[in-house]
Amino acid sequence: MVKICCIGAGYVGGPTMAVIALKCASIEVAVVDISVSRISAWNSDQLPIYEPGLDEVVKECRGKNLFFSTDIEKHVSEADIIFVSVNTPTKTRGLGAGKAADLTYWESAARMIADVSKSNKIVVEKSTVPVKTAEAIEKILTHNSKGIKYQILSNPEFLAEGTAIQDLFKPDRVLIGGRETPEGQKAIQALKDVYAHWVPEDRIITTNLWSAELSKLAANAFLAQRISSVNAMSALCEATGADVSQVAHAVGKDSRIGPKFLNASVGFGGSCFQKDILNLVYICECNGLPEVANYWKQVIKVNDYQKNRFVNRIVSSMFNTVSGKKIAILGFAFKKDTGDTRETPAIDVCKGLLGDKARLSIYDPQVTEDQIQRDLSMNKFDWDHPIHLQPMSPTAVKQVSVAWDAYEATKDAHCLCILTEWDEFKTLDYQRIFDNMQKPAFVFDGRNVVNVDNLREKGFIVYSIGKPLDPWLKDMPAVA
């Protein structure tokens, strides 16, 4: 029986291994992690992450051929294939601070694999890593090999949160990069055989190691670039009276461009986009390509600009101050159908408003109060370290309360901001909300989910990204 072990029980490791276990009944899959609380959650009825369809997959396989354990060394030593899905946070100090990936956790995983292995292993990079990481891992393993042979493969994930299980069931492509040697090709085939249980062969792409590593960074950079492109257009639409939804629809009809990722918003978030682009920038700089680095930097600059612009719109509309005013924040996750708040634009928007001494009442159907308080009190890159290395009990932000529904959040508020496109925000009783708010009542829609005309008829002053401006906002500066 083939044995697979995955080091890291997070957003990538957990769902990916659960689906492998479901689709490959003849393979034993173990997911290991040093976090006792995380493994306990995977073994309970309340999984540590929310993802549609994940519960059913885990319950179907857990205890049969899918196991969650903290006994890392045992499972690593027994495995034929080891997936490594550990954190690769952005460095906050030292060489490459603010851009380069911190490979501390990767290196310690590689050294542990070398320590406990008693048989040949295929080691698979699953977390997003900078180009040439495989070479570093290879060096650590071969210099500590004790006669055991290792093959390193790169198998980046292309999951979108909220649809991760469907993405795993029916991937656009599975990418496997390996060495162009007989041993390397054999290792690629072994991993191909796993995916071939359910993925059509023409969707399994094989490349050299560096192409696989770079493809992941490139894919995320291209997606983020599309969002920044449409967001840059949204600013021009507001300035000219164009409607960004109409512009995006017209542009998306071009088959060379396509309609996806053309929704203007308050900005992109998630655990990958910003981190991967910073990583790409650093690699370009290290390889003497400053012009290329500057090109990709601009994608992040536009994203930051979009979040700042949103906060400035709120403050300038509300008589240039939000000090002491109650502001309702609807949605905190970085997108709908996930509880993930990593790099969510909501953090920067909330911090911007708190900087002007606003009082925030936040509602999100999937994000806990503890997580919101953590995110608002942590330093920029702290979230990307394993949870036991994050600040233990961050100081609660006093001007922030968390509400149990949208009506509670908006009661007596001066304005409401929609920062996540949860479906329920489209069907709220906005008349009831208007009646219970302070007047003038403002709506700042960062996701273009509301019917602007309908809300204006009810008496709201509405700002919707990239849409013709409410007369109230006409002569107010968009950028401080």
Side-chain angles (χ1 to χ4, degrees):
M1 188 185 214
V2 173
K3 289 191 174 183
I4 287 177
C5 173
C6 177
I7 303 171
Y11 260 97
V12 175
T16 306
M17 294 304 118
V19 169
I20 288 177
L22 181 72
K23 299 291 189 181
C24 310
S26 60
I27 294 177
E28 183 184 296
V29 181
V31 183
V32 297
D33 201 294
I34 44 183
S35 167
V36 176
S37 60
R38 177 169 274 185
I39 292 297
S40 301
W42 278 110
N43 283 317
S44 73
D45 288 334
Q46 191 64 49
L47 300 185
I49 60 175
Y50 169 73
E51 192 62 52
L54 178 62
D55 266 29
E56 294 81 357
V57 175
V58 171
K59 283 172 184 152
E60 174 79 20
C61 308
R62 195 171 56 194
K64 295 178 191 164
N65 67 329
L66 175 64
F67 305 94
F68 296 94
S69 170
T70 52
D71 193 345
I72 300 174
E73 298 190 356
K74 171 185 180 288
H75 289 289
V76 167
S77 73
E78 291 176 358
D80 305 293
I81 301 175
I82 302 166
F83 285 85
V84 184
S85 190
V86 296
N87 303 58
T88 49
T90 304
K91 285 180 77 170
T92 50
R93 51 171 64 104
L95 187 65
K99 291 189 287 249
D102 180 347
L103 296 180
T104 309
Y105 307 117
W106 244 106
E107 185 175 335
S108 59
R111 289 184 184 280
M112 183 270 298
I113 292 168
D115 281 347
V116 305
S117 293
K118 297 180 181 66
S119 56
N120 296 346
K121 309 278 185 216
I122 295 171
V123 178
V124 184
E125 296 177 337
K126 198 67 190 158
S127 34
T128 305
V129 292
V131 182
K132 298 283 183 158
T133 300
E135 200 168 73
I137 305 309
E138 240 172 17
K139 284 174 181 162
I140 291 167
L141 291 172
T142 50
H143 283 277
N144 294 279
S145 71
K146 300 177 290 212
I148 289 162
K149 291 193 165 56
Y150 299 97
Q151 280 299 322
I152 317 295
L153 300 178
S154 172
N155 173 219
E157 54 80 23
F158 296 102
L159 305 180
E161 286 179 44
T163 58
I165 298 301
Q166 280 313 306
D167 295 342
L168 286 161
F169 282 171
K170 292 187 173 165
D172 287 342
R173 77 298 206 191
V174 169
L175 180 58
I176 304 171
R179 287 289 190 194
E180 291 154 317
T181 60
E183 298 80 13
Q185 294 304 302
K186 200 172 155 194
I188 288 174
Q189 190 58 49
L191 188 53
K192 258 181 104 168
D193 291 345
V194 172
Y195 285 111
H197 280 83
W198 79 98
V199 180
E201 189 162 351
D202 61 351
R203 297 218 168 167
I204 303 176
I205 304 169
T206 59
T207 66
N208 72 29
L209 268 173
W210 322 132
S211 298
E213 289 180 335
L214 189 53
S215 295
K216 170 64 179 175
L217 295 182
N220 278 344
F222 275 51
L223 291 171
Q225 178 203 43
R226 279 177 75 97
I227 298 172
S228 281
S229 295
V230 77
N231 282 344
M233 283 296 160
S234 74
L236 185 58
C237 287
E238 288 167 29
T240 57
D243 181 327
V244 75
S245 301
Q246 295 174 355
V247 172
H249 180 68
V251 169
K253 283 291 182 194
D254 187 320
S255 60
R256 296 163 302 175
I257 297 170
K260 291 183 176 172
F261 273 70
L262 288 181
N263 293 324
S265 69
V266 65
F268 59 72
S271 60
C272 291
F273 283 1
Q274 173 151 318
K275 187 173 84 170
D276 288 357
I277 294 173
L278 289 171
N279 212 320
L280 196 56
V281 166
Y282 181 66
I283 293 165
C284 293
E285 288 173 350
C286 290
N287 283 285
L289 302 169
E291 293 81 3
V292 182
N294 288 335
Y295 176 78
W296 290 110
K297 260 186 209 165
Q298 201 60 36
V299 173
I300 291 175
K301 277 190 181 166
V302 169
N303 197 47
D304 290 338
Y305 163 76
Q306 190 76 341
K307 291 180 281 193
N308 292 338
R309 215 163 66 78
F310 191 77
V311 172
N312 291 335
R313 282 282 191 210
I314 296 168
V315 177
S316 65
S317 304
M318 296 171 69
F319 314 106
N320 245 353
T321 178
V322 289
S323 180
K325 293 176 182 173
K326 177 178 174 180
I327 295 182
I329 303 289
L330 300 188
F332 197 82
F334 84 92
K335 67 174 183 179
K336 72 173 186 176
D337 293 336
T338 176
D340 195 352
T341 61
R342 293 177 292 179
E343 293 285 358
T344 174
I347 294 173
D348 288 329
V349 171
C350 289
K351 283 184 173 178
L353 295 168
L354 289 168
D356 206 63
K357 298 195 170 62
R359 292 184 302 115
L360 305 184
S361 181
I362 302 174
Y363 165 66
D364 187 289
Q366 283 297 336
V367 184
T368 63
E369 177 161 11
D370 178 61
Q371 187 61 49
I372 289 170
Q373 287 287 4
R374 254 177 183 302
D375 286 329
L376 292 178
S377 55
M378 269 197 284
N379 291 328
K380 189 153 177 63
F381 296 114
D382 279 356
W383 60 267
D384 204 11
H385 290 269
I387 203 141
H388 63 286
L389 295 177
Q390 290 176 11
M392 269 316 281
S393 48
T395 48
V397 181
K398 289 186 186 59
Q399 304 124 276
V400 173
S401 61
V402 176
W404 58 85
D405 72 7
Y407 301 106
E408 169 67 20
T410 52
K411 189 172 187 297
D412 291 325
H414 290 259
C415 93
L416 73 89
C417 304
I418 301 173
L419 299 182
T420 312
E421 71 283 19
W422 287 104
D423 291 340
E424 68 178 81
F425 299 157
K426 294 176 185 171
T427 56
L428 291 171
D429 180 346
Y430 281 99
Q431 187 62 57
R432 175 182 165 191
I433 288 173
F434 179 79
D435 293 342
N436 287 322
M437 281 175 69
Q438 304 274 354
K439 308 296 181 296
F442 295 88
V443 172
F444 294 90
D445 183 359
R447 296 286 177 175
N448 286 346
V449 297
V450 300
N451 181 323
V452 175
D453 295 337
N454 185 297
L455 262 57
R456 284 184 182 144
E457 277 167 25
K458 289 180 175 30
F460 283 107
I461 294 160
V462 185
Y463 166 72
S464 205
I465 282 189
K467 301 292 178 102
L469 291 176
D470 196 294
W472 182 285
L473 294 150
K474 274 275 171 35
D475 301 315
M476 295 180 180
V479 183

